[in-house]
Amino acid sequence: MLWVKAFHIVFVASWFAGLFYLPRIFVNLAMVAPGSVAERDRLLLMARKLLRFTTLLSLPALALGVWLWMGYGIGRGPGNGWMHAKLAVVLLVIGYHHACSVLLRKLADGTCRKSHVWFRWFNEAPVLLLLVAVVLVVVKPF
């Protein structure tokens, strides 16, 4: 079980690293001057590659988490309300990841009207989600 847990932590950390950086690329894309085609294309390429890699990292993170939960029974049974809250956070992270892919599509086709300031605030969400998830897993407040 410890090997599964260790790899789960590594893949979750890697997944979040991508979710921390991808919106920073969006900030830069929102700030590209009109007519800077080469800069825009380079940032879009970076964002697409990072999204693809981040998505690949999310799959083992989720699979290993399900293995810990269902296979080893972590968080199951009475007195494990923290796990329900953590699963809700995981769903929010998956939703955030999906929102990043939608935003990237809109940035690529020129239909996104969000400002760089909006993306700076959007970038804070995964930090808060990770904080809540770690506190739930470590402290197990309920």
Side-chain angles (χ1 to χ4, degrees):
M1 175 186 69
L2 293 178
W3 283 100
V4 175
K5 191 183 290 188
F7 281 109
H8 175 64
I9 292 168
V10 167
F11 280 105
V12 168
S14 301
W15 179 20
F16 269 90
L19 293 179
F20 292 155
Y21 190 62
L22 185 59
R24 295 301 306 167
I25 297 174
F26 295 168
V27 169
N28 293 324
L29 274 164
M31 295 174 67
V32 169
S36 298
V37 177
E39 181 182 6
R40 182 178 183 280
D41 288 348
R42 181 176 39 82
L43 289 168
L44 284 171
L45 178 66
M46 289 170 59
R48 285 184 183 114
K49 286 184 175 189
L50 182 58
L51 178 64
R52 188 176 315 118
F53 188 60
T54 302
T55 301
L56 289 174
L57 292 167
S58 73
L59 300 176
L62 293 167
L64 292 165
V66 169
W67 188 358
L68 288 167
W69 180 41
M70 301 301 283
Y72 290 107
I74 293 177
R76 294 178 66 180
N80 286 302
W82 62 271
M83 180 57 91
H84 298 287
K86 183 194 173 232
L87 291 173
V89 170
V90 170
L91 289 176
L92 289 172
V93 173
I94 292 168
Y96 183 87
H97 188 130
H98 176 72
C100 285
S101 67
V102 170
L103 286 166
L104 178 54
R105 253 182 268 121
K106 288 182 177 187
L107 284 161
D109 66 20
T111 61
C112 184
R113 300 291 174 240
K114 308 262 187 237
S115 72
H116 69 93
V117 174
W118 187 90
F119 282 114
R120 289 176 199 275
W121 283 104
F122 180 74
N123 189 58
E124 301 306 321
V127 175
L128 298 174
L129 292 169
L130 181 61
L131 175 69
V132 171
V134 169
V135 167
L136 287 168
V137 170
V138 173
V139 177
K140 296 178 178 53
F142 45 88

